[in-house]
């Protein structure tokens, strides 16, 4: 049995702990798939579909590595002959291999003493020194370099490796939430200085030494200096850091059951309505006064967001948001004094959608004298042009569609390039541009679906990778006016076609109000027969944090895989989700739990009426986090519709959630009735369907205490249910798998285990009627 490890990806784990995707995987897999002849067993089809992007789809995305001229780039393609790296010159249209594979492999054999294991180019990435015509890469735990004119491979000198090790940021601490990255030292722009934290205090380290110079001495376990999100000024003379005060916060227990002896870790933690940590922002200056406090920070019940420096370094910009997040101030701070001034204030009668699908910050132009800003003030996210004093110059985009983000700005040409959904297919994402006068609005990409853009640094070209849920990805090279130059790469789905491929079906149904269109996707098994009857499963998220329905070919591993076990699986974005304007999103305001399940039931009934092969008497539902909450909600409020459900890592009751829910629901003291009606625990006696309740003992995004309280309520109500406890599991999942020589795949890890548990539960309850 062979194994191979690839790097852990961070594609966006549960946004604020709420987005579960099969892409969030630490994976072990063989470098090639055995060429077994069909038919493949249902178990093996299920396993392969669970790992869709890793095993069945090659070259679905390419990573463009731009060369010194800012236009040419190289990327990797996986082929039947192994990996090939190509260089693309957009000006000439030439696409040529970077390496002479035969010469490279011979040189590597000479250096390693044996033939490289993987076919083609046996490493996944490299760095290219164009001046020296050499590349550097890592292979078999060795750092190697190869001169392209001679194909001589040599080890990288130890002295150079040691110097690089010193300049590399060192690990400082782990993020508290599963979506948080680990915290490392914060390097200045030139890498010569690194800020870190140790024993709750700040230190400064040179990029050429391990020696630490402490800059503070007043840090304690409850009042800590942190370099999380630390932000250096452009000249590298000062940085902004956080000082975090957790006094007065409740402590949340994480029991490490698997340690010997067991340990209890008490974390400062805020649940809905409880006190927040206080955050102060400081300028730290290695060559001057060590710390200068930034005014307007450190207040109770406010969140602070480090945004960054003006390009000229004259001011530091940060965001200040109130607890219910219906006001956000953008503030500038003077690095010499810490005094502040208000640039602009965004307010909403309900809540600001920032922090859900949108990460909003000023996009500075003209060396910081002006900036572009995204606001939903007219009901849709649009681009506004301001001067640095906060005076509105003009609105650049308008209409009933959302701008998703600014991709790039060509100041010389006078263009703003941005991603938006401005098509009749409401969720299709394209690249557009508009000039600084708000005119000449133009779409630059073609074809339906989701378009992902990579801009050339020289701003002469861009790469567009696009797909739909049923059309495999294509990567195209285009000029900045949208003119197509060439197709760079098409996804290879031959492995997918070998085991059968039934494209998902997009659909539109009406919400429970009978007027509002809802958009979804229906997944079918590879051997789908319209003359048969199939159990149907609703894969739900439903919360206001993000739109859940897949829009591109690679999304949707969970419903895609589950369908192969003999189900029809659908997912739909109900009212209250983002991406369709403020009115659609505001349905959830102070009404969490009221409209979501009725919308899903309406979708289920309409799907069944139009498709007689859906057996609505055998309907199930499953989801995680907010989807876990709504799975419980469905079984408790619509037991006649859903016969079985799997609720994993659920937010069982909103009062056991983190303060994120306050944006939608307000504070419990101000919306007592809303929180009461949203409680699943109070409805425990209504359970009729077959429930599998899944919780992770180390989960703090959807605390394990809430899962236990739900279980307790069900037990007291005399309701039978199944429960799966995952020791040490937080809000994210990992997956391992092995491929044997005969091609058999074994799923492992928490994600693999949960995949199998979900499948078995629905096979027992919906297919076999156990």
């Amino acid at each position: 049995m062979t194994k191979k490890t690839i790097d852990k990806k961070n594609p966006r784990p549960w946004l604020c702990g709420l987005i579960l995707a099969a892409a969030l995987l630490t994976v072990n897999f063989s470098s090639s798939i055995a060429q077994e002849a069909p038919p493949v067993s249902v178990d093996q089809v299920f396993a392969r579909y669970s790992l869709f992007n890793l095993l069945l789809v090659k070259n679905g995305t390419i990573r463009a590595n731009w060369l010194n001229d800012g236009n040419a780039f190289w990327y990797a393609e996986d082929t039947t002959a192994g990996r090939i790296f190509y260089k693309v010159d957009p000006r000439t249209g030439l696409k040529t291999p970077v390496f002479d594979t035969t010469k490279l492999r011979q040189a590597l054999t000479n250096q390693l003493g044996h033939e490289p294991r993987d076919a083609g180019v046996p490493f996944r990435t490299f760095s290219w020194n164009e001046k020296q015509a050499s590349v550097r890469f890592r292979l078999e735990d060795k750092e190697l370099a190869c001169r392209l004119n001679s194909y001589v491979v040599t080890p990288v000198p130890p002295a150079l490796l040691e110097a690089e090790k010193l300049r590399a940021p060192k690990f400082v601490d782990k993020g508290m939430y599963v979506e948080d990255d680990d915290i490392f030292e914060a390097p200045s722009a030139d890498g010569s200085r690194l800020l870190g934290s140790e024993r709750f205090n700040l230190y400064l380290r040179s990029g050429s030494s391990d020696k630490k110079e402490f800059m503070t001495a007043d840090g304690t376990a409850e009042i800590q200096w942190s370099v999380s999100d630390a932000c250096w000024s452009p000249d590298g003379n000062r940085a902004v850091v956080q000082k975090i005060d957790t006094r007065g916060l409740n402590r949340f227990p994480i029991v490490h059951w698997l340690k010997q002896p067991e340990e209890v870790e008490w974390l400062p933690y805020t649940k809905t309505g409880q006190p927040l940590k206080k955050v102060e922002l400081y300028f730290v200056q290695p060559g001057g006064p060590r710390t200068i406090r930034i005014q307007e920070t450190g207040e109770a019940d406010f969140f602070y967001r480090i945004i960054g420096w003006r390009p000229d370094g004259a001011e530091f910009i940060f965001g200040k948001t109130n607890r219910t997040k219906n006001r956000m101030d953008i503030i500038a701070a003077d690095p010499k004094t810490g005094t502040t001034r208000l640039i602009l204030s965004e307010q909403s009668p309900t809540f600001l959608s920032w922090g859900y699908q949108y990460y909003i910050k000023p996009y500075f132009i003209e060396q910081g004298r002006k900036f572009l800003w995204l606001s939903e003030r007219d009901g849709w996210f649009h681009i506004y042009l301001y001067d640095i004093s906060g005076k509105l110059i003009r609105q650049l985009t308008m209409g009933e569609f959302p701008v998703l983000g600014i991709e790039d700005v060509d100041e010389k040409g006078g263009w703003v390039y941005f991603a938006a959904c401005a098509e009749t297919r409401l969720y299709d994402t394209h690249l557009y541009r508009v000039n600084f006068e708000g005119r000449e609005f133009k779409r630059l990409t073609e074809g339906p679906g989701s378009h992902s853009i990579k801009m050339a640094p020289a701003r002469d070209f861009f790469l567009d990778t696009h797909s739909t849920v049923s059309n495999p990805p294509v990567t195209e090279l285009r000029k900045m006016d949208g003119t197509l130059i060439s197709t760079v790469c098409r996804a290879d789905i031959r492995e997918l076609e070998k085991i059968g491929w039934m494209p998902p079906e997009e659909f539109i149904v009406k919400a429970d109000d009978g007027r509002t269109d809802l958009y979804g996707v229906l997944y079918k098994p590879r051997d789908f027969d319209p003359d048969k009857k199939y159990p149907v499963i609703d894969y739900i998220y439903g919360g206001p944090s993000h739109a859940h329905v897949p829009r591109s070919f690679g999304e949707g591993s969970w419903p895609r895989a589950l369908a192969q076990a003999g189900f029809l699986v659908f997912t739909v974005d109900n009212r209250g989700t983002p991406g369709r304007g403020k009115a659609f999103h505001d349905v959830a305001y102070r009404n969490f739990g009221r409209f979501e399940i009725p919308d899903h039931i309406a979708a289920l009934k309409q799907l069944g009426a139009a498709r007689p092969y859906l057996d609505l008497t055998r309907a199930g539902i499953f989801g995680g986090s907010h989807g876990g909450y709504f799975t419980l909600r469905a079984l408790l409020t619509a037991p006649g519709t859903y016969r079985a459900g799997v609720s994993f890592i659920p937010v069982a009751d909103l009062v056991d959630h983190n303060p994120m829910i306050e944006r939608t629901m307000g504070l419990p003291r101000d919306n007592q009735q809303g929180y009461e009606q949203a409680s699943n625990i109070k409805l425990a006696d209504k359970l009729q369907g077959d429930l599998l309740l899944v919780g992770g003992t180390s989960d703090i995004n959807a605390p394990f205490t809430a899962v236990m309280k739900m279980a307790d309520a069900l037990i007291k109500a005399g309701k039978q249910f199944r429960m799966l406890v995952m020791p040490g599991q937080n809000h994210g999942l990992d997956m391992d798998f092995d491929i044997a020589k005969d091609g058999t795949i074994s799923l492992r890890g928490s994600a693999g285990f949960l995949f199998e548990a979900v499948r078995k539960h629905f096979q027992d309850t919906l297919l076999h009627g156990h």
Side-chain angles (χ1 to χ4, degrees):
M1 187 173 288
T2 59
K3 275 190 177 183
K4 189 174 181 181
T5 302
I6 67 171
D7 295 335
K8 183 177 182 180
K9 299 179 180 180
N10 186 20
R12 266 201 124 191
W14 294 86
L15 177 58
C16 295
L18 298 175
I19 304 174
L20 180 61
L24 203 209
L25 306 176
T26 301
V27 185
N28 295 317
F29 72 109
S30 170
S31 60
S32 62
I33 302 174
Q35 301 296 311
E36 75 278 10
V40 184
S41 71
V42 171
D43 283 356
Q44 287 302 296
V45 171
F46 175 82
R48 282 165 168 75
Y49 270 81
S50 301
L51 305 162
F52 187 79
N53 290 321
L54 295 171
L55 298 184
L56 301 179
V57 180
K58 295 180 181 179
N59 309 316
T61 60
I62 69 171
R63 178 185 173 187
N65 300 270
W66 304 99
L67 297 177
N68 291 341
D69 67 357
N71 283 316
F73 64 93
W74 60 266
Y75 75 97
E77 273 192 35
D78 288 319
T79 73
T80 54
R83 188 172 301 107
I84 299 176
F85 289 97
Y86 287 104
K87 176 185 176 182
V88 179
D89 188 339
R91 293 159 299 191
T92 64
L94 289 177
K95 173 181 171 180
T96 56
V98 174
F99 301 104
D100 182 319
T101 305
T102 301
K103 290 182 179 179
L104 176 65
R105 292 185 65 84
Q106 183 58 57
L108 290 172
T109 299
N110 295 339
Q111 176 61 223
L112 298 172
H114 59 83
E115 178 83 8
R117 181 177 58 187
D118 291 346
V121 178
F123 43 85
R124 292 190 167 271
T125 188
F126 62 89
S127 59
W128 192 339
N129 188 321
E130 293 181 72
K131 290 184 178 179
Q132 297 180 6
S134 67
V135 298
R136 179 175 157 182
F137 50 90
R138 186 172 182 82
L139 183 63
E140 296 184 7
D141 295 326
K142 297 179 176 65
E143 292 287 339
L144 303 172
C146 176
R147 291 194 173 274
L148 297 180
N149 54 4
S150 64
Y151 280 93
V152 173
V153 174
T154 57
V156 175
L160 178 58
L161 293 176
E162 184 61 29
E164 291 175 345
K165 182 179 178 181
L166 289 173
R167 289 177 69 86
K170 298 181 184 296
F171 173 80
V172 172
D173 199 2
K174 290 190 70 65
M176 181 175 179
Y177 295 96
V178 67
E179 77 276 5
D180 294 341
D181 292 331
D182 290 342
I183 302 170
F184 289 83
E185 293 173 329
S188 59
D190 62 1
S192 63
R193 291 170 165 175
L194 299 101
L195 270 176
S197 60
E198 185 177 294
R199 300 190 302 276
F200 318 123
N201 282 294
L202 297 177
Y203 67 79
L204 183 69
R205 184 174 70 83
S206 166
S208 59
S209 170
D210 272 331
K211 185 179 179 181
K212 301 173 182 176
E213 176 189 356
F214 278 86
M215 303 184 68
T216 64
D218 60 340
T220 67
E222 291 189 316
I223 308 176
Q224 302 183 15
W225 291 92
S226 172
V227 294
S228 175
D229 297 324
C231 187
W232 283 88
S233 60
D235 61 10
N237 289 331
R238 53 177 60 88
V240 174
V241 299
Q242 301 179 73
K243 192 176 186 180
I244 302 172
D245 185 349
T246 61
R247 291 176 298 178
L249 266 64
N250 292 330
R251 262 48 184 177
F252 182 81
I254 296 292
V255 181
H256 298 286
W257 298 100
L258 304 182
K259 287 189 175 182
Q260 187 62 264
E262 300 81 359
E263 292 181 4
V264 179
E265 180 181 7
W266 292 93
L267 299 175
Y269 186 75
T270 297
K271 291 185 180 181
T272 310
Q274 294 178 352
L276 297 176
K277 64 185 178 183
K278 296 178 182 178
V279 177
E280 292 179 321
L281 301 181
Y282 281 81
F283 292 109
V284 293
Q285 304 176 96
R290 288 302 175 92
T291 60
I292 299 176
R293 180 179 173 274
I294 297 177
Q295 296 177 7
E296 297 286 332
T297 66
E299 298 181 49
D301 283 346
F302 282 92
F303 297 92
Y304 298 91
R305 172 178 289 171
I306 290 177
I307 292 175
W309 292 81
R310 287 175 52 183
D312 59 6
E315 292 177 306
F316 171 75
I317 312 298
F318 67 96
K320 179 181 179 180
T321 310
N322 64 350
R323 180 159 187 162
T324 53
K325 299 194 176 179
N326 60 4
R327 173 172 177 160
M328 180 178 185
D329 294 338
I330 302 300
I331 301 171
D334 185 331
K336 296 184 178 64
T337 64
T339 57
T340 59
R341 67 179 181 89
L342 178 67
I343 298 177
L344 66 83
S345 180
E346 281 284 350
Q347 300 183 50
S348 169
T350 56
F351 58 87
L352 296 170
S353 297
W354 303 325
Y356 284 136
Q357 281 191 314
Y358 306 91
Y359 177 76
I360 308 299
K361 64 179 182 178
Y363 192 109
F364 291 105
I365 60 176
E366 297 183 13
Q367 286 298 304
R369 293 188 294 273
K370 296 177 182 177
F371 64 91
L372 300 171
W373 177 249
L374 256 62
S375 171
E376 204 178 18
R377 66 189 62 163
D378 71 355
W380 299 88
F381 272 111
H382 283 297
I383 303 173
Y384 295 78
L385 177 62
Y386 280 85
D387 68 21
I388 195 59
S389 71
K391 178 183 176 182
L392 174 64
I393 299 173
R394 69 181 60 89
Q395 182 175 348
L396 298 188
T397 63
M398 58 189 65
E400 294 187 354
F401 66 89
V403 172
L404 303 181
I406 296 170
E407 295 285 343
D408 207 344
V409 175
D410 177 5
E411 291 191 46
K412 184 177 179 181
W415 294 108
V416 179
Y417 295 88
F418 58 94
C421 300
E423 307 304 315
T424 53
R425 285 172 50 95
L426 294 186
Y427 290 95
D428 279 10
T429 302
H430 283 271
L431 179 70
Y432 304 82
R433 75 178 183 185
V434 69
N435 65 23
F436 288 153
E437 299 300 317
R439 301 183 182 129
E440 299 187 53
F441 176 94
K442 180 184 177 182
R443 192 183 81 185
L444 304 176
T445 49
E446 298 175 326
S450 176
H451 291 252
S452 175
I453 306 301
K454 298 180 179 71
M455 292 285 187
R459 297 190 181 91
D460 292 329
F461 309 94
F462 67 85
L463 283 169
D464 170 25
T465 300
H466 61 92
S467 68
T468 68
V469 293
S470 56
N471 296 326
V474 177
T475 299
E476 297 169 339
L477 181 64
R478 294 180 178 269
K479 294 181 181 179
M480 295 302 282
D481 65 359
T483 302
L484 177 65
I485 298 173
S486 65
T487 297
V488 177
C489 183
R490 293 182 181 273
D492 180 352
I493 62 168
R494 283 176 290 182
E495 294 294 338
L496 178 61
E497 291 170 337
K498 282 182 182 179
I499 62 171
W501 167 236
M502 175 62 65
E505 175 190 346
E506 295 178 301
F507 63 81
I508 303 174
V509 293
K510 295 295 182 183
D512 183 59
D513 63 4
R515 302 185 306 273
T516 307
D517 285 341
L518 302 180
Y519 291 72
V521 176
L522 177 66
Y523 292 86
K524 303 170 184 175
R526 60 175 185 145
D527 56 355
F528 171 72
D529 182 348
D531 293 326
K532 292 183 178 180
K533 284 277 193 178
Y534 292 87
V536 58
I537 297 174
D538 183 350
Y539 178 41
I540 191 170
Y541 179 73
S545 299
H546 68 280
H548 183 57
V549 173
R551 309 295 174 195
S552 64
F553 194 77
E555 298 177 274
S557 291
W558 283 77
R560 184 187 295 116
L562 190 58
Q564 308 315 311
F567 304 97
L568 296 179
V569 185
F570 78 93
T571 181
V572 65
D573 283 323
N574 49 261
R575 290 173 295 165
T577 54
R580 287 184 55 181
K582 198 70 177 75
F584 190 87
H585 203 180
D586 275 351
V587 171
Y589 181 61
R590 297 173 71 90
N591 283 314
F592 199 88
R594 286 186 186 271
F595 301 104
E596 299 86 349
I597 296 306
D599 276 359
H600 279 254
I601 292 174
L604 176 62
K605 290 180 178 178
Q606 290 168 71
L607 288 173
R611 297 162 182 82
Y613 41 81
L614 272 70
D615 185 351
L616 300 192
T617 67
R618 293 185 293 162
I621 186 168
F622 82 110
S625 197
H626 274 171
Y629 168 91
F630 284 116
T631 294
L632 290 170
R633 198 78 180 163
L635 293 179
L636 297 171
T637 62
T641 301
Y642 297 101
R643 208 163 100 183
V646 179
S647 171
F648 57 94
I649 47 178
V651 178
D653 201 317
L654 300 188
V655 295
D656 271 313
H657 199 5
N658 59 44
M660 178 181 172
I661 199 63
E662 295 170 1
R663 181 197 309 259
T664 306
M665 290 293 290
L667 293 169
R669 65 172 180 263
D670 300 326
N671 187 18
Q672 184 175 356
Q673 182 179 0
Y675 277 88
E676 286 283 330
Q677 73 84 24
S679 172
N680 283 328
I681 289 176
K682 296 182 183 300
L683 300 175
D685 63 325
K686 306 297 184 183
L687 179 69
Q688 292 183 29
D690 290 297
L691 169 66
L692 173 60
L693 182 63
V694 184
T697 63
S698 295
D699 193 345
I700 60 174
N701 294 76
F704 186 62
T705 55
V707 178
M708 296 302 288
K709 289 173 184 176
M710 190 72 234
D712 179 65
L714 292 169
I715 291 169
K716 287 178 178 176
K719 298 296 181 178
Q720 293 291 320
F721 65 100
R722 302 180 189 184
M723 188 166 182
L724 171 60
V725 175
M726 304 183 78
Q729 183 64 52
N730 59 24
H731 210 61
L733 300 173
D734 60 9
M735 182 183 285
D736 293 339
F737 65 96
D738 296 328
I739 303 181
K741 290 182 179 180
D742 64 357
T744 301
I745 296 176
S746 300
L747 294 177
R748 304 185 188 280
S750 56
F753 186 87
L754 187 54
F755 260 121
E756 295 285 3
V758 171
R759 177 177 66 150
K760 186 176 187 304
H761 181 74
F762 285 126
Q763 285 178 327
D764 286 349
T765 57
L766 300 182
L767 276 180
H768 307 313
H770 291 174

